[in-house]
Amino acid sequence: MIYKLGLDVGSTTAKIAVLDTNGTLVYNAYRRHNTKVTEVACTFFDEIKAKLGNCRVSAMVTGSAGMGISEAARIPFVQEVVAASRLIFEKYPSVRTLVDLGGEDSKMIFFHPDRQPDIRMNGNCAGGTGAFIDQMAMLLNIPIEELSKHIEPAYTIYAIASRCGVFAKTDVQNLISREVPKSDIAASVFHAVAMQTMNTLARACDVAPKVMFCGGPFSFLPLLKDFFLKAMNLLPRDVVDADHPEIVSAHGAALMEASRLEVDVDDLRRRVATERVAVTPRKNALPVLFASDAERERWLQYEKEVELVKKVPVAAYDGSCCYVGMDSGSTTTKIAIIGENKELVYAYYAHNNGNPLYAVKHGLQGFADELEAAGKKNIKVAGSAVTGYGEDLIRAAFGIDHGVVETIAHYTAAHYLNPDLSFVLDIGGQDMKAIFIKNGEISRVELNEACSSGCGSFVETFGKSLGYSAPEFAALACTAVHPCDLGTRCTVFMNSKVKQSLRENATTADIAAGLSYSVIKNCLFKVLKFNDLQELGDNIVVQGGAFKNASIQRALEVVTGKRVTCSKIPELMGAYGAALIAMNGKV
């Protein structure tokens, strides 16, 4: 028996369908590949062999990231919309509208009895797709598969900018800070996805029943379909459910009658596992972050040993007073408490979770608890200052002595690290600040606007989507052999570059390093619009949580050709600068 096999490799997931000679589905699977496309595909083949033996298969590949496997392993390729249409024609002829939502792409196909189907696909923007929903679930701290469970029957819809996860974060964070129930926010996200899809893909075309919904988001978030039906003004009876909506394109690829590759499962596995690895390195790869393992180890050791801000535990501090600095950001709260010699006695960093007052209270209580445990309750707070998004709120609530503009707080901290500084770059989770220094004074300040593609959450979110923590992703980037040139476009647009890199056999390390370069290049050339990097001068200080990622710091050094100064507490430097101002008694 020769089985028909369809492999669908999308931007975030891989799907497979195997049919017997009667067209019966005998094996299927759906998994996130986290850029490990080859490994996941080989796992599928191993499972097929375990179930069916080393059988003969007639194979075809589809999917937005499947072209790489097709080219490398010489397996015929079919476009995923064509594959999905094949399944509809053969098994679900009553369907007039197909809505397919993937990880980073969305499609609507309008079938007509008297002419060719009308196919609509999103472009480079992944707003309103599975990746968008992933980002919103992460922001709500809800596992993606449980998002539907949080939506209650009586919900309120709030406006969310669904065109891009970057813009939507601001709307969602605002709702969280207003203590809007998570059920309402989750419902608003689903509503935004439905409206984004309809507005971009269904223009000038009526949605006629019957309708079929397919793709991972519809398969694993059942309530999402209800929001689409409401947007389409349709009822549940107007829907035709696929047997396996998550693998529609893979199933369609298995049904295609075009020329296919006929091999046994072992040979198919060998082709994908070995010949994909043999693809030649990319010609447009960026310079490596480190020329050798020895150079990397020397650099990391130097950064580990240099202590720019002295730290003294509360129990070992022998001063009689201290100074409190706070940085109340839009998403996080930072507290730095310093002693009489500017040593860091206590540090606190936490997400606000929509309640900055509680975050500050909890942080200060932690300091009080450490003082009590050390028997040093007599240490007095001699001064305090606050900066950041929540400056006015925190100052009023806690009676803080000084309110400080963020630029001044960061400049003060940077000047302490390097009195000769010429340029300060602060990259936070969603914003960035660039401060130019001339003759010891601030001469110019640049801030990013709506786009956060050059910010810390950009890389962190991408790393999490691939299954890595921020430290793991940073360490991986430092080992890259051929860093990808992903450009300086936003997170959503850059996904197409990542897919192209996967097609060219990029490793996860190469992608991680490419993202680090993108953060720096976005900042220098897109936001700051530099023509001459000499404007930065020779004394560059970097701050912000993004620079806890060593690969981003190193990428800046490679791009500028200069060694930069970074403390071991880059995420706390705004608060540390505020504490220094509290010590001086003036802004």
Side-chain angles (χ1 to χ4, degrees):
M1 178 185 295
I2 299 177
Y3 295 90
K4 300 186 75 172
L5 181 150
L7 175 64
D8 177 9
V9 184
S11 53
T12 59
T13 60
K15 291 79 70 176
I16 194 167
V18 179
L19 311 177
D20 64 16
T21 52
N22 297 319
T24 302
L25 194 65
V26 294
Y27 171 83
N28 65 280
Y30 171 103
R31 287 180 198 137
R32 287 182 180 257
H33 56 63
N34 296 329
T35 74
K36 298 181 175 65
V37 173
T38 301
E39 292 89 334
V40 171
C42 288
T43 299
F44 289 160
F45 303 146
D46 291 341
E47 292 174 1
I48 293 170
K49 183 178 178 180
K51 183 174 183 178
L52 304 174
N54 189 27
C55 57
R56 298 285 290 178
V57 295
S58 174
M60 182 165 283
V61 178
T62 188
S64 57
M67 184 66 78
I69 285 182
S70 172
E71 292 175 345
R74 302 188 303 282
I75 305 172
F77 178 84
V78 59
Q79 211 279 339
E80 64 262 33
V81 175
V82 177
S85 299
R86 173 66 183 180
L87 179 68
I88 299 300
F89 285 136
E90 184 157 328
K91 294 184 68 67
Y92 306 101
S94 65
V95 170
R96 291 291 173 264
T97 307
L98 176 70
V99 184
D100 183 354
L101 212 60
E104 292 167 6
D105 47 31
S106 55
K107 299 175 280 289
M108 289 185 73
I109 307 177
F110 301 92
F111 296 94
H112 307 282
D114 55 347
R115 55 189 171 93
Q116 290 295 315
D118 184 353
I119 299 171
R120 311 285 182 87
M121 299 180 66
N122 68 330
N124 285 330
C125 181
T129 62
F132 173 85
I133 300 174
D134 281 350
Q135 290 182 26
M136 297 305 103
M138 193 178 300
L139 204 60
L140 291 170
N141 197 27
I142 297 174
I144 181 67
E145 64 276 5
E146 295 181 11
L147 201 58
S148 284
K149 300 176 184 177
H150 285 263
I151 299 178
E152 298 172 357
Y155 54 77
T156 301
I157 296 297
Y158 294 85
I160 293 177
S162 60
R163 55 183 170 155
C164 176
V166 172
F167 294 105
K169 282 182 179 180
T170 302
D171 293 335
V172 171
Q173 284 164 350
N174 182 47
L175 294 176
I176 292 173
S177 66
R178 289 162 51 192
E179 299 185 354
V180 170
K182 287 187 176 181
S183 58
D184 287 355
I185 300 177
S188 300
V189 169
F190 282 9
H191 171 78
V193 169
M195 296 310 298
Q196 171 74 5
T197 304
M198 296 300 296
N199 290 337
T200 56
L201 301 184
R203 299 187 307 274
C205 195
D206 294 330
V207 177
K210 301 291 187 160
V211 177
M212 176 179 284
F213 298 97
C214 65
F218 287 121
S219 301
F220 303 108
L221 299 170
L223 281 183
L224 181 60
K225 189 187 304 181
D226 295 344
F227 286 84
F228 271 79
L229 287 176
K230 188 173 182 180
M232 296 172 174
N233 198 27
L234 296 177
L235 299 173
R237 66 169 179 262
D238 298 318
V239 176
V240 172
D241 291 320
D243 293 334
H244 297 277
E246 75 278 13
I247 62 161
V248 163
S249 292
H251 196 164
L255 290 170
M256 295 297 296
E257 297 296 339
S259 59
R260 308 169 66 88
L261 173 69
E262 187 176 314
V263 290
D264 59 42
V265 173
D266 279 345
D267 187 33
L268 183 61
R269 189 189 195 285
R270 180 192 60 75
R271 282 172 173 263
V272 172
T274 61
E275 296 187 36
R276 177 143 171 85
V277 173
V279 177
T280 56
R282 295 167 310 287
K283 295 179 181 180
N284 61 340
L286 295 170
V288 292
L289 294 177
F290 298 98
S292 65
D293 292 344
E295 182 187 23
R296 181 177 68 249
E297 292 306 316
R298 284 195 302 270
W299 188 90
L300 292 172
Q301 186 63 30
Y302 174 82
E303 292 297 322
K304 181 179 179 181
E305 292 175 353
V306 174
E307 190 69 71
L308 298 173
V309 177
K310 185 180 179 182
K311 297 180 183 178
V312 176
V314 170
Y317 179 58
D318 56 7
S320 60
C321 64
C322 63
Y323 303 88
V324 178
M326 302 179 189
D327 183 357
S328 179
S330 59
T331 59
T332 58
T333 291
K334 287 80 70 175
I335 298 176
I337 299 180
I338 64 175
E340 296 166 351
N341 295 312
K342 302 179 182 178
E343 64 269 56
L344 185 66
V345 177
Y346 174 80
Y348 175 79
Y349 179 100
H351 286 276
N352 293 336
N353 294 320
N355 193 337
L357 291 175
Y358 174 80
V360 170
K361 181 180 178 181
H362 186 267
L364 294 177
Q365 185 60 53
F367 179 58
D369 292 344
E370 289 195 18
L371 287 175
E372 184 173 0
K376 298 194 174 188
K377 292 189 290 184
N378 293 328
I379 294 178
K380 304 298 182 183
V381 174
S384 58
V386 60
T387 189
Y389 180 84
E391 173 195 331
D392 293 337
L393 175 65
I394 301 303
R395 188 178 184 187
F398 292 91
I400 305 301
D401 297 327
H402 304 285
V404 184
V405 176
E406 284 185 79
T407 304
I408 300 300
H410 286 279
Y411 165 74
T412 302
H415 186 270
Y416 173 74
L417 297 184
N418 184 350
D420 298 321
L421 82 165
S422 57
F423 178 73
V424 182
L425 179 60
D426 175 78
I427 302 181
Q430 292 186 53
D431 54 20
M432 68 175 73
K433 291 175 284 291
I435 308 171
F436 298 80
I437 315 299
K438 189 174 183 179
N439 299 324
E441 296 182 350
I442 297 175
S443 63
R444 173 181 154 205
V445 176
E446 296 284 351
L447 307 173
N448 71 319
E449 296 177 357
C451 181
S452 73
S453 60
C455 299
S457 62
F458 169 66
V459 176
E460 182 179 4
T461 300
F462 212 104
K464 285 182 179 179
S465 73
L466 300 181
Y468 294 94
S469 66
E472 290 171 338
F473 204 53
L476 200 61
C478 290
T479 66
V481 178
H482 302 290
C484 303
D485 186 356
L486 302 176
T488 58
R489 306 181 82 186
C490 85
T491 315
V492 173
F493 287 97
M494 199 169 292
N495 287 325
S496 61
K497 284 289 193 91
V498 171
K499 283 184 281 189
Q500 177 64 27
S501 297
L502 288 173
R503 179 178 168 184
E504 296 173 354
N505 204 37
T507 66
T508 306
D510 294 338
I511 292 171
L515 289 169
S516 296
Y517 270 116
S518 293
V519 167
I520 296 303
K521 289 189 172 185
N522 176 79
C523 178
L524 297 181
F525 306 121
K526 182 180 175 185
V527 177
L528 301 179
K529 298 180 174 61
F530 275 117
N531 292 317
D532 185 2
L533 293 179
Q534 294 305 314
E535 292 182 61
L536 301 180
D538 296 323
N539 293 281
I540 301 171
V541 177
V542 295
Q543 304 174 351
F547 286 105
K548 288 185 72 68
N549 183 325
S551 65
I552 295 179
Q553 179 185 343
R554 181 58 181 170
L556 177 60
E557 294 184 341
V558 173
V559 170
T560 61
K562 303 180 187 298
R563 187 87 190 197
V564 305
T565 300
C566 182
S567 74
K568 290 188 178 64
I569 53 168
E571 76 282 13
L572 295 173
M573 294 310 288
Y576 187 80
L580 292 174
I581 290 171
M583 173 180 279
N584 294 332
K586 61 180 180 179
V587 179

